[in-house]
Amino acid sequence: MTLSLFLACAWLVLANVLGMLPSRDNHWTRAYVLIALGLPLLGWVFWQNGPWVALLVVLAGASVLRWPLLYLWRWLRAQVS
């Protein structure tokens, strides 16, 4: 396992632990931090392991950050129509 995949797995564990802790702002601050850490990590995974592994990491990250993605999708739909 490459270092980038190890860190991606650690990111997923961290995201799940942070999701279990109580939050006053519905976890949005933590989601922004996870996104800021996850995007460069995703690029590194893509560079070291290729697009298919990076796609699996994207799907795993999307399952953790599903609400920010849902709100992004709604915002994009409102901008188009």
Side-chain angles (χ1 to χ4, degrees):
M1 181 186 293
T2 62
L3 181 60
S4 62
L5 280 179
F6 176 76
L7 291 176
C9 290
W11 182 92
L12 286 169
V13 170
L14 175 69
N16 282 299
V17 169
L18 289 176
M20 287 187 256
L21 297 174
S23 174
R24 291 182 187 258
D25 66 348
N26 291 328
H27 304 285
W28 281 104
T29 305
R30 296 173 190 169
Y32 295 141
V33 171
L34 286 170
I35 291 168
L37 292 174
L39 287 176
L41 184 59
L42 179 63
W44 191 20
V45 168
F46 180 82
W47 181 66
Q48 274 194 336
N49 301 296
W52 295 111
V53 176
L55 181 63
L56 291 175
V57 172
V58 165
L59 292 175
S63 72
V64 173
L65 295 173
R66 60 191 169 271
W67 286 108
L69 286 175
L70 180 68
Y71 285 118
L72 175 66
W73 176 253
R74 288 178 182 173
W75 180 78
L76 288 173
R77 268 193 353 207
Q79 296 300 316
V80 170
S81 60

